[in-house]
Amino acid sequence: MTTDSYHPAAPTAATVGQRQGATALAALLLRLHFYIGLFVGPFILVAAVTGTLFVLTPQIETRLYATQLFNDSHGVAQPLAAQVKAAQALVGEGPRLFAVRPGKTDAWNTRVMFVQPGMGDSESRAIFIDPISLAVKGDLVVYGTSGTLPFRTTLDYLHRNLMLGELGRNYSELAASWLWLGSLGGLWLWFSARRRSRAGQARARRPMSARRLHSLLGLWIVLGLVFFSATGLTWSRWAGGNVNLLRAQLGWVTPSASTQLHGPAPTPDEHAEHHHHAGMSMPMPAAGDPARFDMVQGIARAGGIDAAEIEIRPPRKIDQAWSVHEVDRSWPTQVDTVAIDADRMVITSRADFVDFPLIAKLIRWGVDAHMGILFGLANQILMAAFGMALTAMIVLGYVMWWRRRPAAGSSLAPLSEAFVRLPPAWRAGVAVLALALGWSLPLMGISLALFLAVDVVRWRLAQRR
């Protein structure tokens, strides 16, 4: 009696090709991960540190500027018209009245904001007026929709552009462009290494090392890093323009209230009975006159603008409407906007957050969460924890590199060699993906070309030696 011996089937050519392709792809990702950490890591580190400082400092800023923000007056608040005139008396006729933010309560001072030559984009000069006594409590430059005061504006500029203007914005965009790929590439490398270790013999548990801690931190925060990257790119200079173009083509544009006045008088809104008829025959002051702020605020409140924090903007031209914006971007988000024809005392256009498309809502929430303001203190703590973990992970990466230099770089397969070793179909896919990313994220494309140039030079020098 004979017995047949079992012989495992020989691997097919397709299986061998897949294994070789996977090995070459792992080498490619490992080298790319190394370059991202070595060359882009410093930019990501600066963004992480400055972003962490920004989200941790709202309470500090409130204490620093308590005199400007709050008052201890007692009595009845004066009309907005009187508060605006008090601010105009201080600034004179040169600056243009831009907006008014009434205090959330009588204990909060009103901000009367002006624009004047020499100010940057989204900056305005805020005169803080005690709504009860009409005393001037402060004169500061504020920034953006959030009305950031000088202390945190400095941190914001550091995070956004290193206080270098438009040129400096390239640093943060470069960091955001590579952060998601470095994170996901690191995750893929970790899973690959873990799969290989499981295929081999079990290893004894190793003590915590820089490499192990670097990997664990990356696993814990990888989703947060992708989130930071995606939301950061939405307001970047070059990639942000492509994002806006894509949103426009897909209909994901955030709705806005039109301030253009034209055509016959619009049909009054459903709340019009609360704010029209009375006084219609009386002569009205000119557009933008302080006397209209109280009327416009009343129309907006009757029309559903119920947030404690609002901003009233007068028209810049005679054929434009006033606009009233809710500016409370915490939870629940209150960012409704109405446009008001002050002559006819009607709401002519509106954009309510509840009617926003889902994508527009997600973008709004994502940006606000990125800034640490969506869920208040909990959001601040979470964003700060991610920022500190990212900072530690980058530092650990440099510790690993420093300990192993120069072998940390020379022992890795060059990008060019790993790319050539890929199967033809894989090479085509990687090339198409690289071109698509380079077009969508221009700074990624430029820096990738630099990576390849450095890689080719190092490879040739190594071959000569």
Side-chain angles (χ1 to χ4, degrees):
M1 181 177 180
T2 61
T3 58
D4 294 330
S5 300
Y6 172 75
H7 298 283
T12 64
T15 304
V16 173
Q18 289 179 352
R19 291 178 180 175
Q20 291 176 346
T23 302
L25 182 61
L28 183 71
L29 287 176
L30 185 59
R31 185 68 174 186
L32 187 59
H33 191 76
F34 171 75
Y35 276 152
I36 294 172
L38 186 62
F39 297 122
V40 188
F43 301 101
I44 300 176
L45 178 62
V46 172
V49 172
T50 55
T52 301
L53 291 175
F54 180 81
V55 300
L56 283 177
T57 51
Q59 291 79 7
I60 296 176
E61 185 173 67
T62 300
R63 297 294 293 272
L64 284 176
Y65 300 103
T67 301
Q68 290 86 355
L69 294 173
F70 306 105
N71 67 80
D72 55 3
S73 300
H74 301 281
V76 179
Q78 299 289 327
L80 285 179
Q83 299 178 48
V84 172
K85 290 178 180 178
Q88 289 178 321
L90 175 69
V91 303
E93 298 182 355
R96 176 178 65 84
L97 179 60
F98 167 64
V100 172
R101 291 194 179 190
K104 291 185 287 187
T105 66
D106 289 346
W108 285 75
N109 294 325
T110 296
R111 299 187 190 190
V112 184
M113 297 181 285
F114 301 84
V115 292
Q116 59 190 41
M119 289 187 165
D121 293 339
S122 301
E123 289 185 346
S124 59
R125 178 184 177 186
I127 308 301
F128 294 80
I129 302 295
D130 184 331
I132 297 174
S133 69
L134 299 183
V136 176
K137 305 293 288 186
D139 183 352
L140 299 172
V141 174
V142 298
Y143 176 79
T145 305
S146 57
T148 308
L149 300 177
F151 172 66
R152 294 184 73 234
T153 297
T154 300
L155 294 176
D156 191 6
Y157 282 148
L158 282 172
H159 181 66
R160 181 188 299 265
N161 59 23
L162 296 178
M163 303 190 72
L164 296 175
E166 288 298 307
L167 177 63
R169 291 182 65 184
N170 293 321
Y171 115 85
S172 56
E173 182 169 348
L174 179 66
S177 297
W178 282 107
L179 180 58
W180 68 273
L181 185 57
S183 304
L184 295 179
L187 180 65
W188 192 89
L189 292 170
W190 180 85
F191 274 115
S192 298
R194 189 173 181 84
R195 186 170 59 248
R196 289 194 303 269
S197 66
R198 284 180 176 177
Q201 295 181 351
R203 296 181 180 180
R205 185 176 182 84
R206 296 173 296 173
M208 186 64 68
S209 61
R211 180 177 181 178
R212 182 175 173 82
L213 184 56
H214 175 89
S215 300
L216 288 176
L217 286 174
L219 288 173
W220 292 338
I221 67 172
V222 61
L223 293 180
L225 299 185
V226 174
F227 167 80
F228 282 139
S229 181
T231 52
L233 287 172
T234 58
W235 64 66
S236 63
R237 183 180 182 185
W238 306 108
N242 290 333
V243 171
N244 292 336
L245 179 62
L246 177 64
R247 289 176 59 190
Q249 292 177 342
L250 296 178
W252 294 349
V253 178
T254 299
S256 61
S258 173
T259 59
Q260 189 64 39
L261 296 178
H262 54 77
T267 302
D269 67 281
E270 61 182 357
H271 301 283
E273 67 272 13
H274 299 296
H275 51 71
H276 78 301
H277 298 308
M280 284 294 288
S281 61
M282 298 176 61
M284 299 299 293
D289 190 281
R292 292 192 168 195
F293 276 92
D294 296 281
M295 178 190 70
V296 168
Q297 179 179 226
I299 295 173
R301 291 299 190 190
I305 299 298
D306 55 2
E309 299 179 68
I310 64 172
E311 180 176 285
I312 307 169
R313 295 186 184 182
R316 295 189 61 180
K317 301 178 182 178
I318 59 174
D319 62 343
Q320 290 182 339
W322 290 64
S323 60
V324 181
H325 308 258
E326 294 180 333
V327 293
D328 185 358
R329 289 151 59 184
S330 59
W331 188 267
T333 303
Q334 292 183 288
V335 291
D336 298 346
T337 302
V338 294
I340 296 173
D341 184 340
D343 289 333
R344 290 173 286 184
M345 302 176 69
V346 291
I347 293 176
T348 59
S349 180
R350 66 186 308 130
D352 295 316
F353 185 72
V354 68
D355 298 325
F356 282 18
L358 178 60
I359 296 298
K361 289 182 178 179
L362 292 176
I363 292 173
R364 175 75 277 158
W365 289 328
V367 170
D368 294 339
H370 185 120
M371 296 177 65
I373 60 178
L374 183 60
F375 297 112
L377 183 60
N379 196 168
Q380 290 178 251
I381 294 173
L382 182 62
M383 293 298 102
F386 275 112
M388 288 185 286
L390 176 57
T391 300
M393 191 173 68
I394 295 172
V395 172
L396 289 169
Y398 277 104
V399 168
M400 293 158 51
W401 168 76
W402 185 259
R403 288 176 177 175
R404 299 177 56 199
R405 71 188 196 290
S410 59
S411 62
L412 300 179
L415 282 172
S416 307
E417 180 182 346
F419 179 77
V420 170
R421 288 166 51 194
L422 289 171
W426 292 38
R427 282 202 303 269
V430 170
V432 170
L433 180 61
L435 290 174
L437 290 175
W439 182 86
S440 303
L441 310 174
L443 291 187
M444 172 183 278
I446 295 172
S447 54
L448 178 59
L450 293 176
F451 292 170
L452 290 172
V454 170
D455 196 74
V456 169
V457 171
R458 287 175 57 88
W459 188 18
R460 290 182 177 179
L461 290 177
Q463 287 180 327
R464 290 180 183 178
R465 287 194 296 265

